[in-house]
Amino acid sequence: GNSVTQMEGPVTLSEEAFLTINCTYTATGYPSLFWYVQYPGEGLQLLLKATKADDKGSNKGFEATYRKETTSFHLEKGSVQVSDSAVYFCALSGNTGFQKLVFGTGTRLLVSP
Amino acid sequence: DVKVTQSSRYLVKRTGEKVFLECVQDMDHENMFWYRQDPGLGLRLIYFSYDVKMKEKGDIPEGYSVSREKKERFSLILESASTNQTSMYLCASTPTGLAGTNEQFFGPGTRLTVL
């Protein structure tokens, strides 16, 4: 079945540091890939997505590229801020019919001033 | 803005009680979902519904049931709460047109503690 593996946290960085959160997946066919973010005390919200190989999703300075050859969708940001402290979830879904989202276990990011 | 609301942010119940968690969305979405979120396990799908009165089991339905009598409301029911159901419960919705892209809209969550 489909599955998502992401790096364990917490990831602790200083403000303005470079961020990478690794995500790899196992899926049949050509899934869509997502990053969701959960700020403290809130539900999840979509951060970015990519629906086919080599697509790059981007939002709020975050980027991720859909790499089919390495089955990866790593999240990156060039300069993190304290306000980026949150839990980040990588997820995938199939692209045909009604497909459920499959989530990774989440990675907590802590950014200090 | 899409708004998904959940009836309680925090709930404390006793073992054996019947517990109702309510979720309401205001954007006329066909599809609604209940997840539980536990540390180290991410989000796991309990049940989902793609239409009024329709429901499908997710990955961990045991000990839970659901009700969808109106399009905007999706209820999660713990028939007899147990301590291993202590968790964060998240509701989400998405319109059918976006199902293939799966941008789900989440509520703020209900943190349930069963004593």
Side-chain angles (χ1 to χ4, degrees), chain A residues 16-17 19-20 35 37 44 49 52 62 73 76 85 96 109:
Chain A
E16 299 184 3
L19 168 71
T20 299
W35 278 100
V37 59
L44 279 70
K49 65 183 180 185
K52 60 182 187 295
F62 291 88
F73 192 56
E76 296 181 336
S85 297
T96 57
L109 171 65

Side-chain angles (χ1 to χ4, degrees), chain B residues 2-68:
Chain B
V2 175
K3 197 163 182 67
V4 180
T5 56
Q6 296 184 228
S7 50
S8 305
R9 293 300 299 270
Y10 300 93
L11 209 52
V12 179
K13 296 292 182 181
R14 298 221 172 262
T15 301
E17 279 192 77
K18 190 169 186 175
V19 181
F20 293 86
L21 303 182
E22 305 285 342
C23 174
V24 177
Q25 50 93 2
D26 66 357
M27 288 302 292
D28 205 34
H29 288 173
E30 291 81 10
N31 309 293
M32 297 186 74
F33 308 81
W34 275 106
Y35 296 90
R36 63 177 284 176
Q37 180 182 4
D38 299 289
L41 297 176
L43 272 72
R44 294 179 291 168
L45 182 64
I46 305 171
Y47 267 97
F48 66 98
S49 168
Y50 52 89
D51 202 351
V52 175
K53 297 192 185 295
M54 305 303 290
K55 60 186 179 185
E56 294 283 344
K57 292 180 180 179
D59 301 315
I60 52 163
E62 296 78 19
Y64 303 94
S65 62
V66 290
S67 173
R68 187 137 182 233

Side-chain angles (χ1 to χ4, degrees), chain B residues 41-106:
Chain B
L41 297 176
L43 272 72
R44 294 179 291 168
L45 182 64
I46 305 171
Y47 267 97
F48 66 98
S49 168
Y50 52 89
D51 202 351
V52 175
K53 297 192 185 295
M54 305 303 290
K55 60 186 179 185
E56 294 283 344
K57 292 180 180 179
D59 301 315
I60 52 163
E62 296 78 19
Y64 303 94
S65 62
V66 290
S67 173
R68 187 137 182 233
E69 296 297 317
K70 294 185 178 181
K71 191 175 186 180
E72 67 271 18
R73 187 180 298 270
F74 191 36
S75 303
L76 180 69
I77 304 156
L78 287 65
E79 295 289 343
S80 177
S82 63
T83 55
N84 63 13
Q85 292 178 309
T86 291
S87 187
M88 171 71 86
Y89 290 88
L90 292 167
C91 176
S93 71
T94 190
T96 295
L98 285 181
T101 63
N102 259 297
E103 179 175 354
Q104 293 187 14
F105 300 87
F106 283 82

Side-chain angles (χ1 to χ4, degrees), chain A residues 13-72:
Chain A
L13 295 173
S14 297
E15 205 164 25
E16 299 184 3
F18 184 84
L19 168 71
T20 299
I21 300 178
N22 290 337
C23 171
T24 57
Y25 68 89
T26 302
T28 54
Y30 302 92
S32 292
L33 300 173
F34 308 84
W35 278 100
Y36 280 79
V37 59
Q38 185 180 33
Y39 297 106
E42 299 183 13
L44 279 70
Q45 55 185 273
L46 181 66
L47 180 61
L48 53 83
K49 65 183 180 185
T51 56
K52 60 182 187 295
D54 300 324
D55 267 2
K56 178 186 283 188
S58 61
N59 187 25
K60 299 181 181 179
F62 291 88
E63 293 183 340
T65 301
Y66 187 162
R67 301 282 189 204
K68 189 163 176 60
E69 63 276 13
T70 55
T71 62
S72 65

Side-chain angles (χ1 to χ4, degrees), chain A residues 64 88 112:
Chain A
Y88 293 82
S112 56

